[in-house]
Every structure is written in C-alpha cells, then in structure tokens.
Amino acid sequence: MRMRAMRLFKPGQAVTHPLVMTELAKPSPGEGEILLQVSACAVCRTDLQICEGDLAARCLPIVPGHQIVGRVESVGGGVTRWKVGDRAGVAWLAGTDGKCAKCMGGRENLCEDAHFTGWDRDGGYATHTVARADFAFPLPESFGDFDVAPLLCGGVIGYRSLKISGLKPGGRLGLYGFGASATLVIQVARHWGCRVFVCTRSAAERDRATALGAEWVGGQLERPPVPLDAAITFAPVGSVVAAALGALDRGGTVAINAIHLDRVPEMPYADLWWERSLRSVANFTRTDVVEFLELAAKIPVRTTYDVYPLADANIALERLAGGQVRGAAVLQCRETDPTMTAPPGE
C-alpha cells in the first residue's frame, strides 16, 4: 500500500517551494502507535520556520505538519484506547520519556527527551501518518475536521500562553501580532470578560481584531491607552517583546509565544522593575490540549481558514510567509475520498 506526502529534503525559502510531493510505502503502526488516514492538517508558522531553516532541521527528509486530524486506519500492539474509524487529533508534542522529573511533575512540555511532530518524526502534510496512541486526542464532535485542525497548535499554545501570563478574568490583556493563534486567544479572553488591546502592523488584522471584540487596536509598537495586566507576543521579533514589556502594569507578565526569536534587545531595567516578568512559552502538556478543546467547544471558538489541496502545501507556506493567509491555512489531505469537500471557513 502506498501513500503520498509533501517532504522536506533541504530547507529553503518558501518562495522556492522546498517541499516535494513523494510517494511512499504506507507505514504500519508499531507497539503503542496508531496509523491515521489524515483528512486535514493546519499550517503553522513553526512549519514555515522548519522549512525555511530558521529552526534547524532535526531529521531530513521530514514530513512537516503538527495540527493533524484524521481517522484511525489501524492500531499497533498494546493499543486499547483507540479503534479503527475513531477520529483523532495529533499535535506538536509527539512523545516524552514519561519518567523524568519534569514529566513526573506535570511539566512534560519541558522533557529533555521530548519529540515533536513534523520536526523529529513525520507529520501531517500527508495522506497518512503514524502517531503514539497516548499522544493522540479525541476531538469534540461539534467541530468539523477543518474547523478543529487550527486549534491543535495555535489554539492550544495560545491557551497555554494565557495560563503563563497569569491573566485573570476581567483583566487587561495585550496581544502583539494578530495571526491565527491570536484570533483564538482573543475569543477565550473575551469569554473570560477581559479587556483586550491589540498591536499589529497589519491594517487587515486590526480590523479583524476589532470585529472579534478588541477594545483598542494600534500599530505593532504603539502603547495601549491603559497599563496591561498581561501581554502575549506572537511576532518572533525582539522589539515587540520590548514594547509589550514597556506597556505592562506593575506585577504584569509578558508571555513570549514563539519558538524562535530574532534577538533579545537591550531595554531599560525600569521597564522590568516592579516585579514585571518575561516568560517564554515552550510547547504544551496533554492536559493543556484536553482543557482547551473542552473550553473551545463550550465557548464555542470559531476558526477562520483557507483550504488548500495537499499538493499546494508550498503555496500555503509561501502565502503564510507573505502575510497573505486569512486566519489559518488548512491542507485537505484525504485526496482519494471524492466526498471530502472543503467548506469555507466561517
């Protein structure tokens, strides 16, 4: 049996279309694994950073993609939680050792032996993928495949960023950048009754933020009209982090939602004094995923996305790099199913 996948052999700029469509033997799930027929895989900026080389490749060739939705096609030995036909989601955290102090202490996101989907093992830019059964997630039935895929990274890591920031219900939150993750974060923050202030260089993103309930919108480095209790930065740019820190109230926290940052700029200590904090956000735990998906279904969180055929993954990455993606980009991967249509994002 064969499968198709968009593989990265050598990193390159998105405009060079570095992914290559390849036909491969369909893998069999090993002990404790499941084989998924992938229906949808959302495109993440981390995928772009891996493909362009901003994040050094850990394994080449590699199939990117870590916001995966599919159906279980077969199960490996020892798997009792999943059965053929079940719908499952797979996200960035592909596995941990489960026995180190971080894992045993509820912080598996910091495990030194963690492996990541689309970076250490093949991801979802494919018709099929294999995942550890204990790192796959049941998905709320209220979400369609294309709707839920963007929640599996942008939503989950955004939710963890909210937790790291220490934001309380009714608090004042600053969002710096307003891509796919921020459009999900603002919906949670507004559900909690928070006041949200958005700083982004894109006029279209400012309009989108206003439509989603932002109280104020401004340029990327503009200061909101009130001191912030918490801020989350999404742009991988050090100057944005400095701007967010300068906008904090005393005791506030900036959560840096980025796996890659261009630099940490020099900044006056006065901006950090009065117990202000800078914290990076690293990965997520499985508990974060479960909590967020339950909350997203309750609110309910709405996703906006454009759908691309699997073969157009390079185009999706190029549009993401050029700031041309409206909300999220989602790949339609189940090419052999003529009934698999791509409804427009809401």
Side-chain angles (χ1 to χ4, degrees), residues 31 46 82 102-103 171 180 194 222 264 283 287:
E31 184 77 14
T46 301
W82 298 99
K102 298 295 189 295
C103 288
C194 297
E222 281 190 59
V264 177
N283 315 314
T287 298

Side-chain angles (χ1 to χ4, degrees), residues 98-175:
K99 60 186 179 182
C100 68
K102 298 295 189 295
C103 288
M104 298 300 289
R107 297 192 293 167
E108 64 185 4
N109 60 305
L110 303 181
C111 176
E112 293 188 17
D113 196 31
H115 293 83
F116 301 98
T117 310
W119 200 16
D120 296 303
R121 62 184 295 164
D122 284 340
Y125 287 18
T127 58
H128 294 78
T129 195
V130 170
R132 272 181 55 170
D134 55 341
F135 280 82
F137 303 93
L139 303 172
E141 290 300 326
S142 56
F143 291 118
D145 292 356
F146 295 102
D147 298 294
V148 77
L151 303 183
L152 292 172
C153 183
V156 173
I157 199 67
Y159 174 69
R160 183 166 185 86
S161 298
L162 283 170
K163 293 169 68 173
I164 292 294
S165 77
L167 182 70
K168 305 298 183 186
R172 301 180 302 272
L173 173 67
L175 300 178

Side-chain angles (χ1 to χ4, degrees), residues 54-131:
D54 290 330
L55 285 179
R58 290 187 173 184
C59 176
L60 289 175
I62 190 75
V63 178
H66 57 269
Q67 301 181 89
I68 306 167
V69 179
R71 296 278 175 178
V72 177
E73 187 168 296
S74 60
V75 300
V79 176
T80 58
R81 180 185 171 201
W82 298 99
K83 65 181 185 299
V84 172
D86 285 347
R87 189 171 74 148
V90 176
W92 172 243
L93 188 63
T96 63
D97 63 25
K99 60 186 179 182
C100 68
K102 298 295 189 295
C103 288
M104 298 300 289
R107 297 192 293 167
E108 64 185 4
N109 60 305
L110 303 181
C111 176
E112 293 188 17
D113 196 31
H115 293 83
F116 301 98
T117 310
W119 200 16
D120 296 303
R121 62 184 295 164
D122 284 340
Y125 287 18
T127 58
H128 294 78
T129 195
V130 170

Side-chain angles (χ1 to χ4, degrees), residues 31-342:
E31 184 77 14
E33 294 182 331
I34 56 176
L35 172 66
L36 293 179
Q37 182 183 40
V38 181
S39 57
C41 184
V43 177
C44 178
R45 187 161 294 275
T46 301
D47 301 338
L48 176 65
Q49 291 167 337
I50 291 170
C51 290
E52 291 197 323
D54 290 330
L55 285 179
R58 290 187 173 184
C59 176
L60 289 175
I62 190 75
V63 178
H66 57 269
Q67 301 181 89
I68 306 167
V69 179
R71 296 278 175 178
V72 177
E73 187 168 296
S74 60
V75 300
V79 176
T80 58
R81 180 185 171 201
W82 298 99
K83 65 181 185 299
V84 172
D86 285 347
R87 189 171 74 148
V90 176
W92 172 243
L93 188 63
T96 63
D97 63 25
K99 60 186 179 182
C100 68
K102 298 295 189 295
C103 288
M104 298 300 289
R107 297 192 293 167
E108 64 185 4
N109 60 305
L110 303 181
C111 176
E112 293 188 17
D113 196 31
H115 293 83
F116 301 98
T117 310
W119 200 16
D120 296 303
R121 62 184 295 164
D122 284 340
Y125 287 18
T127 58
H128 294 78
T129 195
V130 170
R132 272 181 55 170
D134 55 341
F135 280 82
F137 303 93
L139 303 172
E141 290 300 326
S142 56
F143 291 118
D145 292 356
F146 295 102
D147 298 294
V148 77
L151 303 183
L152 292 172
C153 183
V156 173
I157 199 67
Y159 174 69
R160 183 166 185 86
S161 298
L162 283 170
K163 293 169 68 173
I164 292 294
S165 77
L167 182 70
K168 305 298 183 186
R172 301 180 302 272
L173 173 67
L175 300 178
Y176 286 76
F178 205 72
S181 184
T183 65
L184 304 176
V185 168
I186 192 174
Q187 295 179 63
V188 176
R190 294 295 298 130
H191 178 71
W192 288 347
C194 297
R195 301 169 62 189
V196 181
F197 305 83
V198 173
C199 299
T200 178
R201 64 186 179 183
S202 165
E205 289 179 354
R206 291 196 290 271
D207 290 342
R208 194 174 304 132
T210 299
L212 286 170
E215 179 176 323
W216 174 92
V217 296
Q220 188 175 51
L221 302 181
E222 281 190 59
R223 180 167 294 198
V226 297
L228 304 173
D229 298 311
I232 301 173
T233 64
F234 298 91
V237 181
S239 58
V240 171
V241 174
L245 182 64
L248 282 185
D249 201 356
R250 297 181 181 192
T253 297
V254 174
I256 306 171
N257 184 350
I259 193 172
H260 165 78
L261 196 66
D262 64 349
R263 64 191 179 94
V264 177
E266 183 176 344
M267 59 190 77
Y269 178 65
D271 284 352
L272 186 61
W273 195 37
W274 294 111
E275 299 188 353
R276 298 178 180 92
S277 302
L278 285 174
R279 294 192 63 182
S280 65
V281 181
N283 315 314
F284 56 78
T285 68
R286 284 172 286 181
T287 298
D288 292 328
V289 179
V290 172
E291 288 178 354
F292 174 69
L293 290 177
E294 289 178 355
L295 179 60
K298 177 182 177 182
I299 291 173
V301 168
R302 300 299 184 189
T303 52
T304 300
Y305 50 84
D306 297 321
V307 177
Y308 299 79
L310 174 62
D312 287 347
N314 281 311
I315 296 174
L317 287 172
E318 184 178 0
R319 287 178 60 83
L320 180 62
Q324 299 171 297
V325 172
R326 179 180 63 93
V330 181
L331 302 181
Q332 178 178 321
C333 301
R334 196 181 300 169
E335 298 174 316
T336 59
D337 184 350
T339 67
M340 189 66 181
T341 58

